[in-house]
């Protein structure tokens, strides 16, 4: 690979941005396409599909064959709240291929015994997310019901453009949450991106079923997300 293209590819990957190394299988010429770069016509549609699926593949366009080597940042789920739903979600997320982190300052809930083998941080989200910031390839799930714990990470998720933001609570609870997030400066359009009630509507009742609904909602948002623009 051309050294310039290799540097560009590595820069995008280090910044947790999606990128495709595209090679013309006829003449060997190659280039790097970043998520959001304009590519017209049916080839552009194939590029968009590859960014959403994350699957590398050979694509035919304009009587030529191209290999699309897709590099997506590892998608991760950050859960605020070490509750029963989180225990089930942590297990399912691993099976589905997501990295997952549980954050909860309440040490009575955030114990190694309840989350064996899971990336668990018993600290306030303000302190954790300063060192481990959210980004476009992160899903933020807030399930504590406590504004003192949930509101900061929800606001951070809205500001950084997490591909999924979900918050547990009744419609009355969410209405109060909307008032607080509005007071923090978030627009109606931003707040409307929050999945609340959280998860797909499958009639979930138990913590494990709610975890299934949340994980399905996350997958839907990941695979159908709008693509980001090019890095500035």
């Amino acid at each position: 690979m051309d050294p310039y293209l290799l540097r560009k590819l590595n820069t995008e990957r280090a910044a947790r941005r999606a990128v495709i190394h595209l090679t013309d299988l006829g003449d060997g010429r190659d280039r790097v396409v970043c998520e959001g770069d304009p590519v017209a016509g049916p080839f552009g549609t194939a590029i968009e599909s590859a960014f959403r699926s994350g699957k590398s593949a050979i694509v035919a366009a304009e009587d030529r064959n191209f290999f699309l080597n897709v590099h997506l940042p590892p998608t991760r789920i950050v859960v605020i709240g070490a509750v029963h739903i989180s225990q089930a979600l942590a297990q399912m997320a691993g099976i589905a291929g997501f990295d997952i982190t549980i954050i909860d300052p309440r040490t009575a809930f955030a114990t190694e015994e309840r989350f064996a083998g899971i990336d668990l941080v018993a600290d306030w989200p303000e302190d954790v997310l300063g060192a481990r910031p959210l980004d476009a390839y992160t899903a933020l799930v807030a399930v504590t019901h406590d504004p003192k714990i949930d509101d900061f990470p929800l606001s951070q998720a809205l500001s950084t453009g997490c591909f999924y933001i979900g918050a547990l609570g009744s419609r009355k609870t969410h209405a109060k949450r909307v008032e607080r997030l509005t007071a923090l400066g978030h627009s109606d359009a931003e707040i409307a991106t929050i999945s609340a009630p959280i998860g797909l509507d499958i009639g979930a009742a138990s913590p494990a079923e709610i975890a299934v609904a949340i994980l399905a909602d996350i997958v839907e948002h990941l695979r159908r997300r709008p693509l980001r623009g090019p890095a500035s």
Side-chain angles (χ1 to χ4, degrees):
M1 182 189 295
D2 179 272
Y4 169 77
L5 292 182
L6 181 59
R7 284 196 297 273
K8 184 176 182 180
L9 182 66
N10 289 336
T11 298
E12 295 300 307
R13 294 181 65 186
R16 281 182 55 82
R17 292 191 290 263
V19 64
I20 292 176
H21 178 221
L22 182 157
T23 303
D24 186 327
L25 296 180
D27 58 20
R29 290 185 298 177
D30 60 349
R31 64 184 173 114
V32 168
V33 181
C34 300
E35 180 175 325
D37 283 353
V39 181
F43 195 34
T45 301
I47 293 282
E48 290 182 6
S49 178
F51 272 123
R52 289 195 174 89
S53 71
K55 294 181 178 178
S56 298
I58 295 174
V59 173
E62 300 173 352
D63 298 325
R64 307 178 75 90
N65 290 321
F66 300 89
F67 180 65
L68 307 183
N69 192 5
V70 184
H71 300 268
L72 297 188
T75 48
R76 60 185 178 182
I77 301 172
V78 173
V79 182
I80 308 301
V83 299
H84 288 106
I85 294 171
S86 312
Q87 289 178 290
L89 181 58
Q91 300 300 322
M92 297 176 193
I95 294 171
F98 291 94
D99 297 332
I100 187 165
T101 298
I102 310 293
I103 301 172
D104 198 325
R106 302 170 301 181
T107 53
F109 295 95
T111 67
E112 290 296 328
E113 292 75 17
R114 299 181 70 233
F115 291 91
I118 303 299
D119 182 22
L120 173 68
V121 186
D123 207 341
W124 288 91
E126 290 91 325
D127 296 325
V128 180
L129 298 182
R132 304 164 70 173
L134 305 172
D135 62 26
Y137 277 83
T138 302
L140 189 285
V141 176
V143 290
T144 74
H145 284 294
D146 187 339
K148 296 192 302 298
I149 304 175
D150 284 347
D151 282 4
F152 176 83
L154 284 171
S155 179
Q156 287 291 296
L158 291 171
S159 297
T160 56
C162 287
F163 75 86
Y164 176 83
I165 308 170
L168 189 67
S170 65
R171 296 187 187 281
K172 182 178 179 181
T173 297
H174 187 62
K176 294 180 179 177
R177 180 184 295 128
V178 169
E179 292 177 359
R180 296 192 302 272
L181 291 172
T182 301
L184 290 173
H186 295 290
S187 68
D188 292 345
E190 287 178 326
I191 296 171
T193 64
I194 299 175
S195 285
I198 196 170
L200 294 184
D201 184 5
I202 59 172
S206 69
E209 290 174 352
I210 295 171
V212 170
I214 293 172
L215 186 57
D217 203 12
I218 290 172
V219 171
E220 181 179 54
H221 276 73
L222 175 64
R223 299 306 178 201
R224 296 177 177 172
R225 72 192 186 284
L227 298 182
R228 295 170 61 85
S232 58

